[in-house]
Amino acid sequence: AKRFRYASGCAEDLDRQLRAAHEAGCRVKLVVTDGVFSMDGAIAPLRDVCDVVEQHGAVLVVDDAHATGFLGPTGRGSGEYWGVADRVHLVNSTLGKALGGASGGYTTGSPLLVSMLRNTSRPYLFSNTLAPSVVGAAAAALELVDNPATRAPLLDQLWANAAHFRSRMAAAGFTLAGKDHAIIPVMLGDARVAAQMAERMLAHGIYVVGFSYPVVPKDRARIRVQLSAAHSTAQVDAAVDAFVEVGRELGVV
């Protein structure tokens, strides 16, 4: 198998790489992308990606770990967000993020592809089954997301929290990455500043994590904030107030 890397979220470069794969004699072309690029809080342009994939007769795999359960009108992920869920061949995702409390993950897609994976994937063939308690927690989490009565207030709170945090942080002078997602990276650039800010935020009772190279590109260090429907508006305000105080101490704002 040959590997062709394309620029993150760039359908034009994906087209170039698929043409290169054809010229290299590749018979089967498998395109893999995140549904959401979790370090940037950016949603992949799946509509454009699907167009390119179909032009080349390729198969599309989407890792939707940071979209499952809340992105899209009914929380079905990045495919639903873009209206292309029926054009994605395989979705790989997790039960341990937005579906919180559960563990493990899954791959879903057409019956033929799923049957092939069940009969050929080593992790499937040689893994122990999930504990009944884990399966029960996963089923309960999916029921909460699938029921409009429980889903709607959770999604409303989540997106309100994200909008409130982004608005207040931008007004305070912070540089934020991404959009339309509950992951909101606070861009700092310097790895040392990111580590110092995370440490001082913890002293204020706010737990955030700094990310720097090689997890993110050099000179693009950041603190990745993940808003939740479980946060109250008062808690979001407390987090922003701590960011502002620490940011002024470190000369960030």
Side-chain angles (χ1 to χ4, degrees), residues 56-239:
H56 290 272
V59 176
L60 177 60
V61 181
V62 174
D63 183 333
D64 230 17
H66 293 88
T68 297
F70 68 96
L71 198 63
T74 65
R76 281 168 167 74
S78 57
E80 183 184 55
Y81 177 87
W82 289 109
V84 296
D86 60 338
R87 299 169 66 187
V88 177
H89 300 99
L90 287 168
V91 174
N92 192 61
S93 196
T94 179
L95 300 170
K97 294 189 184 298
L99 299 178
S103 183
Y106 62 89
T107 300
T108 185
S110 73
L112 182 61
L113 286 171
V114 170
S115 178
M116 182 192 73
L117 291 173
R118 281 179 170 162
N119 284 280
T120 59
S121 298
R122 290 187 180 185
Y124 188 91
L125 293 173
F126 298 108
S127 294
N128 291 331
T129 58
L130 292 171
S133 57
V134 171
V135 176
L142 288 171
E143 288 173 6
L144 288 173
V145 173
D146 204 37
N147 184 345
T150 50
R151 176 181 67 232
L154 290 172
L155 290 183
D156 288 347
Q157 183 69 39
L158 172 67
W159 297 121
N161 285 344
H164 185 59
F165 180 86
R166 182 175 285 277
S167 175
R168 281 205 61 200
M169 289 289 284
F174 286 96
T175 300
L176 308 174
K179 66 175 185 176
D180 301 328
H181 200 276
I183 293 175
I184 304 177
V186 181
M187 304 303 293
L188 299 168
D190 188 282
R192 182 177 296 179
V193 171
Q196 289 175 339
M197 177 167 276
E199 184 177 350
R200 295 192 188 189
M201 289 289 289
L202 188 59
H204 283 73
I206 307 297
Y207 178 60
V208 290
V209 178
F211 291 93
S212 57
Y213 182 83
V215 179
V216 296
K218 287 183 178 180
D219 301 321
R220 297 280 291 169
R222 67 201 65 185
I223 285 179
R224 187 179 68 168
V225 177
Q226 300 178 89
L227 278 301
S228 166
H231 292 133
S232 67
T233 302
Q235 289 172 328
V236 175
D237 281 331

